[in-house]
Amino acid sequence: TSGKYYDTSAHLLWVGERTRQPGFAHFEFVRGLENPLGVKISDKATPEDVLEILDTFNPRNIPGRVTLITRMTAEGIRKSLPPMLKAVKDSGKHALWVCDPVHGNGFQAENGFKTRSFDAIRDELEAFFDVHREMGTHPGGIHLEMTGKDVTECLGGDNNEVTMDGERGLGTKYETHCDPRLNAMQSLELAFCVAEKMREVQGFPDLDF
């Protein structure tokens, strides 16, 4: 055998924003594994925090070893992501940058349901692509919580909007047992948003619907 350690319960393991601190159990557990690793990064992190994570989890600077998953809100992305990108780029360290625009945009609605704002999710996603374009870095992917069902768990959307009350009210098809999910139409609208941002980077004209 190789003598190396793998967590065979998953392929890519990730450490959360609240447990990514050096010395914490999750951090210390995954640092000894050969699996590819993901780390959630909020706007509370500093460029120095990010560099320490990369030094610890990827001392040999292997491309693809570490995925940095931002969850910052749109405002946090525009303010805090640029210095992180610059620090990593200047250091020559390899990291795959992924945007999680859902987990930083949750709140409890007035009817007591845990929900998310579609507009806030889209704003964060657009900010992620905008900042990478401005910094000359590569937006490597997105992470969403979604379903193909027509649920009413996240407020908003351009088509078949989920509202607080009424026929498309938040509580009418709230089926999740954990976190609120984007429904099929909301997910498709975000896919078109990503397509538009990718076309911008390539200098292509806007899509005409």
Side-chain angles (χ1 to χ4, degrees), residues 68-115:
L68 298 175
I69 309 165
T70 61
R71 44 153 297 173
M72 299 186 179
T73 74
E75 181 181 359
I77 286 278
R78 296 190 185 278
K79 178 182 177 182
S80 300
L81 185 56
M84 294 181 191
L85 292 176
K86 184 178 187 306
V88 173
K89 185 177 181 180
D90 290 350
S91 73
K93 298 183 187 303
H94 293 293
L96 176 65
W97 292 94
V98 169
C99 178
D100 169 4
V102 294
H103 281 93
N105 290 300
F107 63 96
Q108 184 172 346
E110 58 192 48
N111 61 4
F113 284 95
K114 180 180 180 181
T115 188

Side-chain angles (χ1 to χ4, degrees), residues 51-71:
L51 292 178
E52 182 176 9
I53 287 168
L54 295 176
D55 283 337
T56 304
F57 290 169
N58 195 15
R60 291 178 288 166
N61 203 25
I62 300 171
R65 161 73 170 160
V66 177
T67 298
L68 298 175
I69 309 165
T70 61
R71 44 153 297 173

Side-chain angles (χ1 to χ4, degrees), residues 109-176:
E110 58 192 48
N111 61 4
F113 284 95
K114 180 180 180 181
T115 188
R116 291 165 174 151
S117 162
F118 173 83
D119 287 343
I121 291 169
R122 180 168 55 190
D123 287 348
E124 181 166 351
L125 197 56
E126 290 178 343
F128 178 75
F129 279 89
D130 289 345
V131 168
H132 275 283
R133 186 179 68 250
E134 293 162 6
M135 299 297 295
T137 51
H138 182 68
I142 62 173
H143 163 78
L144 301 173
E145 290 193 339
M146 54 179 281
T147 176
K149 296 181 178 180
D150 184 29
V151 297
T152 58
E153 298 170 2
C154 293
L155 290 168
D158 295 334
N159 298 282
N160 296 327
E161 178 185 9
V162 177
T163 55
M164 187 63 70
D165 302 301
E167 185 178 339
R168 298 280 298 168
L170 188 62
T172 56
K173 292 183 181 179
Y174 195 97
E175 300 176 0
T176 183

Side-chain angles (χ1 to χ4, degrees), residues 28-47:
E28 295 301 322
F29 172 68
V30 301
R31 70 184 297 179
L33 300 174
E34 295 296 320
N35 299 61
L37 302 173
V39 186
K40 289 286 186 79
I41 304 292
S42 80
D43 54 353
K44 299 182 182 69
T46 66

